Amino acid sequence: MAAKQGVPSSALRVLEEALGMDLTAAGDTAEAVAAEGAYYLEQVTITEASEDDYEYEEIPDDNFSIPEGEEDLAKAIQMVQEQATDTQILEQKTVLPSKQLIPEVIEDFLCNFLIKMGMTRTLDCFQSEWYELIQKGVTELRDTGNVPDVYTQNMLLEHENKNLKKDLKCYKQAADKAREDLLKTQKERDFHRMHHKRIVQEKNKLINDLKGLKLHYASYEPALRVLHEKHHTLLKQKMLTSLERDRAVGQISGLQATLKHMEIGHNYHASEIRVPNSEKENAPEGPTQKGLREAREKTKCKTRIKVNKKDSEFPTDMQQNPNLYLCKENIGPAKFDYKLNNIFRLHELPVSCIIMHPRKDILVTCGEDRLWKLVGLPKGNVLLTGFGHTDWLSNCCFHPSGNKLATSSGDTTVKLWDLSKGNCILTFEGHSHAVWSCTWHSCGDFVASSSLDTTSKIWDVNSERCRYTLYGHTDSVNSIEFFPCSNTLLTGSADKSLSVWDARTGNCEQSLYGHMHSINDATFTPRGHMIASCDACGVTKLWDFRKLLPIVSIDIGPSPGNEVNFDSSGQVLAQASGSGVIHLLDLKSGQIHKLMGHESEAHTVVFSHDGEYLFSGGSDGTVRTWS
């Protein structure tokens, strides 16, 4: 035991050289730690039999034991003191760093090596001196370093190698999948590239074809223009020829009748001379002679009527539009808060048109039951009912004086009615299909009508004939209206266009395009400076009539707009919609107000003269009053 008290420096130097480490520095560190009173104990397990005199027992990790070697009282007291110090540290809740699993240390490597080599005495000497140095604090275990364990490293490397192989396999699979996706993408790219090239070629071909067609069409445009002018010229010549033919036929009929009268008179005088004393002279007139005399009188009357009937002249000096002053005086705010006031059930079938009398609180309704009715306000009592049309009525219009009425019907006719008697005074026949609309000229001598046969006609009330037929639309002409106090006509057609016509010549002066669907109705403002039109998709457009340019387009669809009408001030536009809603458009603010009350489709809408009432007709045969 005495030999263990001192360790020569030469032994430490030899051990440093054998291990290749600086134990002197470690010893200095150990002395510093020993000065603080901290010791670290390691449990060493000797697997092979030892030749020393001690018996080693396994001691649990959680208990401190007296080190193997000298078991004296001083060391036992020292161990108790160390236990007390550790207890104080635990009470102070000092957290010690957890011991990490480190590879095999140098002393274990040397001990294991000596045991394997059977060098027991050298092992005893090494352990005695080594642990004595540790006890004195000359060196410390953690400062001696570690010995690399080749086997552990090999196992780690093998494990890492396996993981790398697995990763390599996964990467190979991902690379194969990516390669397949890349090939597939390349094939799709090539396919789309070829498809794109083909589309580009087709597009270029179509562009070239379109250019060729445009050039071809441009070459035909002058010829078409010339043909169109020739067509209009021929139509005018045809109309003039037909007029001359009618005039010639009338003259021939008159001459034939005159010749017949002369022959009858000559025969009568000749027979009277030959038989002066005949008894037949004083005989009563027979049925044949009576029929001849009546036919002769009728022919004379017809000839006299034809001679007296002359074509009306279009006015050249038109009076000023009286609505201009009415609009200036009406400076009150527009009304939009209409409420459903009353419901009049006037027709068994849908109501197609409602118009207000120009001077009285009377309105006329037309229905698909072939009737028109004159209704008194505000009670809604029927004052007069008109019969005569053989099919549904589409529209009606008051004479400027208010004593006559014009109606258009699906029976291809336009009828004029005397409201004082309720009788039909004139029927215009000439359209080949249903007539959609009619309108009076402000002078009261002309009526214009539009028809499904793509034409419009201007009728002379005095000569009772068609003065002009307006050609130009390529589809049904759904609405027609005279500009206030002028010879200008406005038509709206299913070919999506509006046309402005000169009624004196029958020529189309201007066409307005902008609607994408069939135009159902078009009308002027009371002042005449603006046009409103609605189409079959619910789009309402406003046009500047002075510049013939669109102002604004309002989409109130998708239900069709059946009719539009302005109030007397021109500030509010009402539209009757196929959804049964009456839309009121404020032209100043652009706001849209809705009147809900019709159970089915609304066909027509009109304002009263003072704007306090609104009347609408629907497909249920009723007229609804809003106030």
Side-chain angles (χ1 to χ4, degrees), residues 191-437:
F191 171 76
H192 288 297
R193 185 176 293 169
M194 293 176 61
H195 183 66
H196 176 70
K197 289 182 179 179
R198 186 170 65 251
I199 294 296
V200 169
Q201 292 176 357
E202 293 178 357
K203 183 191 76 172
N204 294 332
K205 183 180 178 182
L206 289 174
I207 289 173
N208 293 329
D209 293 342
L210 285 174
K211 289 181 180 178
L213 289 174
K214 284 183 179 179
L215 294 174
H216 191 64
Y217 176 73
S219 64
Y220 277 106
E221 258 190 350
L224 289 173
R225 195 178 300 109
V226 172
L227 290 174
H228 191 66
E229 293 175 357
K230 288 183 178 179
H231 174 68
H232 281 288
T233 304
L234 290 174
L235 287 175
K236 291 180 181 179
Q237 292 179 358
K238 177 185 176 183
M239 188 180 299
L240 294 174
T241 305
S242 62
L243 293 175
E244 292 176 358
R245 182 195 63 189
D246 295 339
R247 191 179 294 111
V249 169
Q251 292 177 358
I252 291 172
S253 300
L255 291 174
Q256 288 178 352
T258 304
L259 289 175
K260 287 182 180 180
H261 297 329
M262 291 176 65
E263 289 177 358
I264 292 172
H266 179 68
N267 293 335
Y268 174 75
H269 289 299
S271 59
E272 186 178 6
I273 292 170
R274 281 194 298 267
V275 189
N277 297 325
S278 174
E279 296 179 357
K280 294 180 180 180
E281 183 177 359
N282 298 323
E285 188 178 25
T288 304
Q289 294 177 354
K290 186 178 180 180
L292 289 173
R293 182 175 57 80
E294 292 177 354
R296 192 182 309 118
E297 290 176 356
K298 288 182 180 180
T299 304
K300 289 180 180 180
C301 292
K302 288 182 179 180
T303 304
R304 191 178 299 108
I305 291 172
K306 288 184 178 179
V307 170
N308 292 334
K309 288 184 178 179
K310 295 182 179 180
D311 289 338
S312 303
E313 295 292 335
F314 283 96
T316 55
D317 298 331
M318 299 297 297
Q319 62 178 353
Q320 194 172 8
N321 186 1
N323 292 320
L324 294 174
Y325 302 101
L326 293 176
C327 293
K328 290 179 180 179
E329 293 172 0
N330 188 7
I331 57 176
K335 181 178 180 179
F336 298 99
D337 54 344
Y338 291 96
K339 303 294 182 183
L340 184 60
N341 185 20
N342 207 343
I343 300 176
F344 304 141
R345 187 168 295 278
L346 300 175
H347 295 272
E348 297 179 358
L349 293 177
V351 179
S352 57
C353 177
I354 300 175
I355 59 169
M356 290 294 299
H357 192 278
R359 295 180 179 83
K360 301 178 181 179
D361 289 335
I362 296 174
L363 59 83
V364 172
T365 64
C366 296
E368 295 185 8
D369 54 1
R370 309 176 185 178
L371 303 176
W372 60 266
K373 295 186 179 182
L374 190 68
V375 182
L377 297 175
K379 296 182 179 180
N381 52 321
V382 178
L383 304 178
L384 188 64
T385 301
F387 303 87
H389 282 288
T390 59
D391 209 337
W392 44 268
L393 271 70
S394 58
N395 199 3
C396 58
C397 184
F398 272 109
H399 188 275
S401 63
N403 57 4
K404 294 179 184 178
L405 182 72
T407 57
S408 57
S409 170
D411 59 7
T412 72
T413 65
V414 176
K415 290 182 179 292
L416 304 184
W417 307 80
D418 185 355
L419 295 181
S420 61
K421 299 178 181 179
N423 297 331
C424 176
I425 57 176
L426 188 58
T427 300
F428 293 122
E429 298 178 352
H431 287 289
S432 58
H433 290 87
V435 182
W436 287 120
S437 181

Side-chain angles (χ1 to χ4, degrees), residues 524-576:
F524 290 101
T525 57
R527 295 176 59 189
H529 68 289
M530 193 161 49
I531 300 172
S533 59
C534 62
D535 63 20
C537 202
V539 176
T540 299
K541 286 183 176 292
L542 298 178
W543 310 78
D544 188 341
F545 183 62
R546 292 167 295 188
K547 298 179 181 179
L548 295 176
L549 293 174
I551 301 175
V552 68
S553 179
I554 306 122
D555 189 356
I556 322 178
S559 299
N562 294 323
E563 186 175 298
V564 287
N565 260 315
F566 289 95
D567 68 342
S568 58
S569 66
Q571 299 177 6
V572 184
L573 176 67
Q575 184 213 53

